[in-house]
Amino acid sequence: MALSDATQGAIILSVFLLPILTYVFYTRAPASNPAGPLPPATEITKLFVYPVKSCHGISLPSVQLLPTGLDLDRQWMWVSYPDYEFLTIRNLAKMTLIRPSYNPSSDTLAITAPAPDTIDGKLEFSIPAHPTKEWLSNNTEVAAVNIWKQSTPAHVYSTTLTGLFNAFFGKEVRLVYKPPTSSEPRLLRSNGAKEILGRTASASFPDLMPILVGNESSINELNSRLQAAENLTLDVRRFRPNILVKGDKPWDEDRWKTLKIIPTTGATAWKLGTDTLSLDVTQRCARCRVPNVDPETAEEHKRQPWDTLMKYRRVDEGMKFKPCFGMLCVPRSGGKVDVGMRLEVTKVTDKHKIIIPGGF
Ligand SMILES: *[C@@H]1O[C@H](CO)[C@@H](O)[C@H](O)[C@H]1NC(C)=O
Ligand SMILES: *[C@@H]1O[C@H](CO)[C@@H](O)[C@H](O)[C@H]1NC(C)=O
Ligand SMILES: *[C@H]1O[C@H](CO)[C@@H](O)[C@H](O)[C@H]1NC(C)=O
């Protein structure tokens, strides 16, 4: 009996095609991840630190990645006196006019601000960027300071150094310092809390996490919208990133889960046994209106980029009423990071969701 065409077709299908289809089904690994395939490797184009919280940033060609973030980043902060409550650019836009500069040969930070009631007068003082215990005991006193309803001990600088800045703020203030290694660390909360992150991690004075990674392609995409709407181009520094990467696909960072930085040969990582620096991406960075402030002039734009971001960047389920820009990270291992190093996304996820900590 001759086989019908249909039967022959069925035999061919089951003998040849089915095993192939089964093989293809089980080996299409990227498509089985709902967050999609890993993006191609990219490159670090800028490194920024903001030594004094809420003040102007510094771009560096190279910096140490510590367990608490980039060295010199937000280790200092201004507080009110006598209640030691943190001061922030959120309600004091002019804080961005306070400019730190770093002198590597003397390892000092010079802090300047415009002197009030002068044309170009400056207030200035200089402090060690990596103070010794002895210097700290000579020039500071320890007190508990408050940041986002968290109390943490810090070194309060003598007003013989910082007193001139009372005039800039128009009230009594103090500069405080929390070293990257502390016997009483400020523990991370939110998505960086131990029960979420899986380990204990801390930072000096960032709002939430030690590191903000930003992607140039995303600021470019935002700028193309702002350009079309209001002939406006914003500098990425308004978003205060620490590590800026190049990229081709805007907003791809929304799904990043772990990152790896490939050091130049000869560099050593602080986590022995690894030759890479790695970061856990804990969450998206929900934004307030601080990016509306021009970091050079302290002028606040009435609408942008807030209005535009609100239209299309409310992308996090945990914080639906704020737009997101950039990804917050906690270092897993560290060492020297240079501009030009390769950055790889090693894991992606579709499960990012901001946990709002108490006090915010
Ligand atoms: C600390 O003060 C002592 C006593 O005045 C002085 O001898 C010492 O040089 C100071 N050390 C530093 C690092 O400033
Ligand atoms: C856009 O802004 C630039 C820089 O501020 C200005 O020179 C130019 O004339 C503006 N163009 C339009 C169409 O308003
Ligand atoms: C940013 O960088 C990545 C590098 O992995 C690139 O592939 C991606 O398309 C870029 N865009 C964003 C924002 O992710």
Side-chain angles (χ1 to χ4, degrees):
M1 187 185 85
L3 297 175
S4 72
D5 283 354
T7 314
Q8 283 185 33
I11 290 170
I12 289 169
L13 184 72
S14 51
V15 173
F16 296 102
L17 232 39
L18 273 182
I20 293 170
L21 288 177
T22 309
Y23 177 79
V24 168
F25 180 82
Y26 283 106
T27 54
R28 45 156 211 165
S32 67
N33 181 344
L38 295 177
T42 187
E43 183 192 318
I44 296 176
T45 54
K46 289 264 168 59
L47 292 164
F48 295 106
V49 295
Y50 308 84
V52 187
K53 182 181 184 67
S54 281
C55 299
H56 209 269
I58 310 177
S59 167
L60 295 171
S62 171
V63 65
Q64 289 290 325
L65 178 66
L66 307 172
T68 48
L70 297 181
D71 188 27
L72 302 181
D73 187 48
R74 291 167 291 177
Q75 290 168 6
W76 290 266
M77 167 171 94
W78 290 103
V79 295
S80 60
Y81 184 82
D83 49 356
Y84 298 110
E85 186 65 32
F86 79 116
L87 299 176
T88 154
I89 188 173
R90 277 177 188 72
N91 38 36
L92 275 176
K94 70 174 180 178
M95 286 181 76
T96 186
L97 301 178
I98 301 176
R99 286 177 175 265
S101 57
Y102 177 60
N103 181 336
S105 59
S106 58
D107 195 32
T108 51
L109 279 175
I111 316 280
T112 65
D117 308 320
T118 65
I119 306 286
D120 49 12
K122 284 224 177 315
L123 309 172
E124 178 165 7
F125 63 89
S126 182
I127 51 174
H130 300 93
T132 60
K133 283 209 167 85
E134 189 188 330
W135 191 94
L136 287 171
S137 82
N138 281 6
N139 297 281
T140 68
E141 278 173 13
V142 174
V145 301
N146 306 309
I147 169 170
W148 291 117
K149 300 206 160 66
Q150 242 178 329
S151 173
T152 191
H155 296 273
V156 183
Y157 285 72
S158 155
T159 48
T160 49
L161 282 164
T162 64
L164 286 175
F165 275 61
N166 291 340
F168 175 82
F169 283 94
K171 59 182 179 188
E172 280 276 317
V173 294
R174 295 291 184 270
L175 183 72
V176 301
Y177 170 66
K178 189 161 187 81
T181 312
S182 164
S183 56
E184 289 177 88
R186 178 173 165 246
L187 299 181
L188 302 182
R189 301 181 296 175
S190 175
N191 301 60
K194 187 181 176 192
E195 58 280 15
I196 311 290
L197 184 64
R199 62 180 190 279
T200 301
S202 64
S204 296
F205 297 131
D207 286 345
L208 285 167
M209 300 303 146
I211 299 275
L212 179 71
V213 180
N215 196 317
E216 277 185 0
S217 57
S218 305
I219 185 77
N220 294 343
E221 193 273 349
L222 172 63
N223 272 329
S224 68
R225 289 172 188 248
L226 293 172
Q227 194 55 243
E230 311 213 11
N231 189 25
L232 202 62
T233 303
L234 301 184
D235 191 297
V236 71
R237 283 189 218 203
R238 286 178 183 242
F239 295 94
R240 304 175 77 81
N242 297 116
I243 298 175
L244 191 64
V245 304
K246 195 189 269 180
D248 50 11
K249 207 159 128 265
W251 312 113
D252 191 50
E253 63 270 25
D254 280 341
R255 62 194 184 104
W256 294 354
K257 183 67 186 136
T258 57
L259 307 177
K260 186 162 98 173
I261 296 170
I262 318 292
T264 47
T265 41
T268 45
W270 51 254
K271 189 161 182 197
L272 293 178
T274 60
D275 56 358
T276 59
L277 319 182
S278 61
L279 300 151
D280 287 309
V281 183
T282 58
Q283 74 235 75
R284 301 185 182 99
C285 185
R287 311 312 298 230
C288 53
R289 286 169 183 267
V290 168
N292 284 29
V293 177
D294 182 335
E296 302 303 318
T297 63
E299 268 168 48
E300 200 166 350
H301 196 286
K302 287 198 176 58
R303 297 176 306 278
Q304 303 296 5
W306 175 263
D307 285 6
T308 299
L309 288 171
M310 281 297 276
K311 280 189 194 133
Y312 78 115
R313 289 295 303 161
R314 287 160 53 176
V315 294
D316 196 281
E317 243 191 277
M319 209 181 250
K320 288 185 179 154
F321 302 103
K322 282 194 175 178
C324 296
F325 190 103
M327 300 304 281
L328 292 170
C329 305
V330 181
R332 178 177 278 278
S333 61
K336 189 164 152 285
V337 182
D338 300 326
V339 167
M341 279 184 179
R342 221 165 103 103
L343 182 138
E344 285 176 12
V345 178
T346 44
K347 220 184 267 175
V348 289
T349 179
D350 60 351
K351 304 272 186 298
H352 273 311
K353 185 175 172 185
I354 295 170
I355 298 168
I356 305 170
F360 264 74

